[in-house]
Amino acid sequence: MSIPSMEKVARPKVRQTQLLIDGKWVPSKSGKTFEDIDPSTGDVIAHVAEGDAADIDEAVKAARRAFESGPWPRMSARERGKLLLALADRIEANAQELAALEVLDNGKPIREVLAADIPLVVGTFRYYAGWADKIAGETLPVENPDQFFCYTRREPVGVCGQIIPWNFPMLMVAWKWAPALACGNTVVLKPAEQTPLTALRLGELAMEAGSPPGVINIVNGFGETAGDALVKHPGVDKIAFTGEYRTAQIIMANAAPTLKRLTFELGGKSPNIVFADADMEQAVQGAVDGIFFNQGEVCCAGSRLFLEQKIHDEFVDRLVARAKARRLGDPFDPQTEQGAQVSKEQFDKILKYIEIGKTQDKARCVAGGERFGDRGYFIRPTVFTNVRNDMRIAQEEIFGPVVAVLPFRDERELVREANTTIYGLAAAIWTKDIGRAHALAASIRAGTVWVNCYNTFDPAAPFGGYKYSGMGRECGREALEHYTEVKTVWVRMA
Ligand code: ADP
């Protein structure tokens, strides 16, 4: 999708929002609201209906009813596919408006929302629309086929609680709803409290597209209240969560008494590895995109940049030049390349890590290292050199535009260091040596390995993590496995 004009996009106006429960827009039972803040100005955008345990209970009951009675269980898989296609069409038709709302809530630049988020959202709904009528069981060649006929059915898991973060609010909705609905589940979504708006608009579009009441429910609210109630609710069969691993640990413990199915997509500290034989221009751009895309608020950000010693100095010079040239500013301006961090809390956390890098780790800050402007939560693209892998800035997820550069000489040592992290979400390798690329792709313990590229995504390509980076996969056929139960049916034939 191209950027339609070089004019600034108008800021949308929102005042008050409601929850979507059982196909109706309702205020929260408590009547409470919370403030939604525009991170590029610090101003209040809207007062958001704040759901908690009572609203979650209503939403789960509605989702359960929709799963067990009503039109949803009787709808054919093909009809569910059509519904997802109709939703994708509506998203495309309203792309400008949705993009502006996402920018307002999250602070990310409009050009990226139009070029990356929207096409991926639309693509995800279309991809899973295609799967809806192809999710099938098997007939099994058991012993004594004259006596027994044995087959499997793939059935929906049931009511899925979906808890999402604020870095790609719309895309996270798509990654959660599309496979869940394709398989015939019903959902209760808890968006992040920092970015509650676009999920609501997607809910409206889903209703217009023909989603029956109760199939999609949206309860905004806080993690410790609404999220917690969803995790503990006995009427929920599965929790799909994207966020920090520490939150996942809490969710896992809280989901234990009701033995919920769990899938997690969590953080990362991904190694981005450049060998001296790489196409330098591509690799420098890959390093920039790897860490600065989406203000560095990306779980698979290339936050540890491993450079072969021979090219270290030249590469750093080029990286620093690009970091300094990056256009920061109003995210509604189509020229802007980097917008605001999502919240004051996140802004403070990133600045704290920059301070740790400078004083505690004693790394060298060669670009950025400070806020940009005096309004909103902008941080300059930041590059640290003289980093060792055991430093805090090389081990802890910063989730901001901060890259730690580590030189390497020996390939075996490199693999050991790249894997010395609690995380295992993604990695990239830049080299022209195809054998080395494949060997390293096999040795690095991560859910995605990019070779001579970074941040390429597709709804068909599974995404998820090893180790503390997650459990299960989103996207691709793999996601369908996590949204279905397998039922084995035995039939006596004689
Ligand atoms: P971040 O700290 O970056 O906001 P989190 O992992 O805390 O990341 O948040 C991701 C999502 O998890 C948000 O929707 C948040 O409200 C939710 N959340 C936070 N704490 C809990 C919890 N204890 N139980 C359920 N959901 C939670």
Side-chain angles (χ1 to χ4, degrees):
M1 197 165 302
S2 60
I3 300 162
S5 83
M6 295 315 275
E7 297 286 301
K8 266 199 193 187
V9 175
R11 290 183 127 69
K13 295 217 172 356
V14 191
R15 285 215 175 78
Q16 182 94 32
T17 72
Q18 293 188 309
L19 313 175
L20 176 60
I21 298 178
D22 207 10
K24 295 187 229 22
W25 293 96
V26 292
S28 63
K29 282 185 172 298
S30 68
K32 281 197 284 189
T33 60
F34 65 93
E35 286 182 344
D36 184 20
I37 307 292
D38 172 352
S40 68
T41 61
D43 296 341
V44 175
I45 305 167
H47 296 273
V48 176
E50 180 186 332
D52 54 28
D55 308 279
I56 288 286
D57 185 50
E58 285 287 310
V60 171
K61 284 180 180 148
R64 176 62 53 195
R65 276 195 303 277
F67 183 69
E68 284 168 8
S69 45
W72 193 240
R74 283 188 290 277
M75 195 184 273
S76 74
R78 204 152 294 163
E79 286 300 312
R80 287 203 303 271
K82 277 196 210 157
L83 194 152
L84 293 177
L85 287 178
L87 175 55
D89 290 347
R90 276 174 172 75
I91 295 169
E92 209 165 46
N94 292 279
Q96 287 291 321
E97 180 218 327
L98 282 162
L101 208 53
E102 192 84 317
V103 172
L104 185 69
D105 229 3
N106 171 277
K108 62 171 78 190
I110 187 85
R111 63 190 287 155
E112 279 183 0
V113 185
L114 289 169
D117 303 49
I118 293 273
L120 279 170
V121 168
V122 171
T124 301
F125 282 110
R126 294 206 172 122
Y127 174 78
Y128 283 106
W131 266 117
D133 60 1
K134 294 163 200 75
I135 301 162
E138 295 175 315
T139 56
L140 302 169
V142 291
E143 203 72 50
N144 304 327
D146 298 343
Q147 267 188 305
F148 292 106
F149 172 46
C150 184
Y151 64 95
T152 55
R153 289 167 52 84
R154 281 213 163 258
E155 298 186 347
V157 171
V159 174
C160 300
Q162 304 184 317
I163 302 175
I164 57 170
W166 41 259
N167 57 341
F168 293 94
M170 271 192 287
L171 185 59
M172 294 299 103
V173 173
W175 281 15
K176 297 283 181 286
W177 286 358
L181 300 178
C183 294
N185 298 280
T186 59
V187 302
V188 177
L189 178 81
K190 211 295 283 171
E193 49 270 39
Q194 297 84 349
T195 51
L197 300 181
T198 39
L200 297 174
R201 185 70 185 111
L202 291 175
E204 248 169 23
L205 295 175
M207 299 303 290
E208 277 176 38
S211 176
V215 170
I216 291 174
N217 303 274
I218 306 171
V219 180
N220 275 310
F222 292 92
E224 297 73 17
T225 50
D228 183 74
L230 192 56
V231 169
K232 291 177 179 162
H233 201 294
V236 174
D237 298 288
K238 170 196 164 86
I239 293 287
F241 166 77
T242 302
E244 284 190 44
Y245 81 83
R246 288 189 187 84
T247 313
Q249 290 170 326
I250 296 169
I251 290 177
M252 203 174 211
N254 287 339
T258 45
L259 277 176
K260 290 188 173 60
R261 282 88 187 102
L262 295 173
T263 43
F264 292 148
E265 198 261 280
L266 311 173
K269 198 75 192 176
S270 299
N272 190 5
I273 302 163
V274 187
F275 286 91
D277 70 344
D279 178 319
M280 192 69 75
E281 172 54 31
Q282 275 187 6
V284 172
Q285 194 53 45
V288 168
D289 297 340
I291 187 63
F292 300 135
F293 171 61
N294 211 50
Q295 296 68 245
E297 294 170 343
V298 183
C299 47
C300 54
S303 49
R304 287 186 301 153
L305 179 61
F306 287 92
L307 299 178
E308 191 166 0
Q309 185 70 57
K310 277 186 266 187
I311 54 160
H312 176 276
D313 293 356
E314 188 199 338
F315 197 102
V316 167
D317 286 349
R318 289 170 73 164
L319 174 65
V320 166
R322 300 249 177 131
K324 289 185 173 162
R326 237 172 124 70
R327 288 190 297 266
L328 272 72
D330 182 359
F332 283 95
D333 184 340
Q335 302 284 352
T336 295
E337 293 171 316
Q338 188 172 314
Q341 309 305 139
V342 75
S343 65
K344 172 82 166 58
E345 192 188 350
Q346 189 59 21
F347 173 80
D348 288 343
K349 178 182 157 192
I350 298 164
L351 289 177
K352 186 193 86 185
Y353 270 110
I354 290 175
E355 201 46 38
I356 288 171
K358 289 177 181 171
T359 56
Q360 196 174 322
D361 289 341
K362 299 202 178 356
R364 248 182 91 207
C365 183
V366 291
E370 59 188 4
R371 77 181 296 176
F372 166 85
D374 50 14
R375 191 162 181 245
Y377 312 130
F378 297 85
I379 295 184
R380 288 187 191 277
T382 298
V383 180
F384 276 105
T385 59
N386 295 33
V387 179
R388 280 193 331 269
N389 198 41
D390 59 359
M391 289 178 179
R392 285 186 69 186
I393 56 165
Q395 288 296 315
E396 296 174 28
E397 189 180 39
I398 300 173
F399 225 64
V402 181
V403 64
V405 182
L406 301 97
F408 72 90
R409 282 200 177 80
D410 172 67
E411 204 168 311
R412 224 183 295 154
E413 179 61 12
L414 163 78
V415 170
R416 202 188 58 74
E417 287 216 334
N419 282 329
T420 303
T421 159
I422 57 170
Y423 295 109
L425 191 58
I429 301 153
W430 300 83
T431 179
K432 290 202 184 98
D433 181 336
I434 192 162
R436 171 199 274 160
H438 286 291
L440 269 178
S443 328
I444 291 180
R445 289 179 50 75
T448 295
V449 176
W450 287 296
V451 177
N452 295 329
C453 55
Y454 209 101
N455 279 342
T456 48
F457 290 97
D458 191 282
F463 185 77
Y466 287 29
K467 304 192 271 181
Y468 281 50
S469 290
M471 271 168 46
R473 294 291 179 269
E474 300 199 279
C475 299
R477 185 198 307 209
E478 279 71 8
L480 302 171
E481 317 245 319
H482 303 299
Y483 281 103
T484 48
E485 295 276 11
V486 177
K487 179 180 281 174
T488 307
V489 182
W490 287 91
V491 183
R492 184 191 289 277
M493 304 295 283

